[in-house]
Amino acid sequence: MTGLRVATLAALLALALSPLWSNRPQEASAFSAAPASVSAFLPMPPLGPPRETVFYGHAKSLARRSGHWELRVDPALFLSGLAAQRAAVEDGVIAPGEAVPNDYYTRDDSHRLLTFRVAPRAHVTVMTAGPKATTITVPELARALAGKRTPHKLWEPQAGYWIRVAGDTVRGMDQQYTP
């Protein structure tokens, strides 16, 4: 093949495969910025990991480290329905045939903490008196997790969060109401 044919073939192949490689959002939202570790050359599902992962966990600390926010979180499984009932039986929390209280069960096996960066403008929702969902800032959440006074008193300070992560960066946290 001549050099022109090879270059043309390479350009056509790159153009055809570019949707598979594109892992950058078209626009950064006001709530989060694309993490610096996301590459345009990483494939998307089913050939690569999802752009964003959501998991449940208990936030243990949130602090400024070397110019960025770091969250320490204890991941857990927040289960409902059949999965909750069977897990609670297997863990010896309830007897076979019993219902899981409030139709949810949290399984937290290891209590080993994970560390994530937190986007400075990540969307954070907590429960305040009522309970009602209240949006707060990342610095306010850091103060609340440290046990310091904040403008919004958390309804359930120990409640877990649904955490949205892209790469190694938290884009959002929503506290889970647990009756």
Side-chain angles (χ1 to χ4, degrees):
M1 269 188 186
T2 67
L4 181 57
R5 285 186 192 167
V6 171
T8 303
L9 181 60
L12 289 173
L13 184 61
L15 184 61
L17 295 176
S18 64
L20 296 175
W21 291 332
S22 178
N23 203 19
R24 292 185 189 262
Q26 295 298 329
E27 290 183 11
S29 74
F31 299 117
S32 62
S37 62
V38 173
S39 169
F41 298 104
L42 293 176
M44 291 178 44
L47 304 175
R51 288 184 188 179
E52 188 173 84
T53 304
V54 179
F55 70 94
Y56 179 79
H58 293 94
K60 297 300 181 181
S61 67
L62 179 60
R64 293 285 289 172
R65 303 259 191 267
S66 303
H68 63 271
W69 289 100
E70 281 188 8
L71 173 70
R72 298 281 288 160
V73 62
D74 179 7
L77 296 174
F78 188 90
L79 306 169
S80 63
L82 179 63
Q85 196 272 337
R86 296 268 173 93
V89 168
E90 290 171 4
D91 293 349
V93 174
I94 62 172
E98 282 186 43
V100 177
N102 298 310
D103 194 40
Y104 80 90
Y105 175 66
T106 303
R107 180 183 269 180
D108 190 353
D109 291 331
S110 72
H111 298 288
R112 292 172 52 188
L113 301 181
L114 298 175
T115 303
F116 294 96
R117 292 178 183 266
V118 178
R121 292 171 42 182
H123 182 79
V124 179
T125 304
V126 297
M127 292 175 300
T128 55
K132 73 175 196 173
T134 303
T135 301
I136 64 172
T137 64
V138 171
E140 186 175 348
L141 179 61
R143 287 191 300 276
L145 292 175
K148 297 178 181 174
R149 290 186 65 170
T150 63
H152 302 96
K153 185 176 180 195
L154 300 186
W155 178 259
E156 290 184 354
Q158 301 305 315
Y161 291 82
W162 290 102
I163 302 167
R164 293 182 290 114
V165 177
D168 69 345
T169 304
V170 172
R171 292 181 161 198
M173 297 176 63
D174 297 303
Q175 196 173 31
Q176 171 66 49
Y177 174 71
T178 50

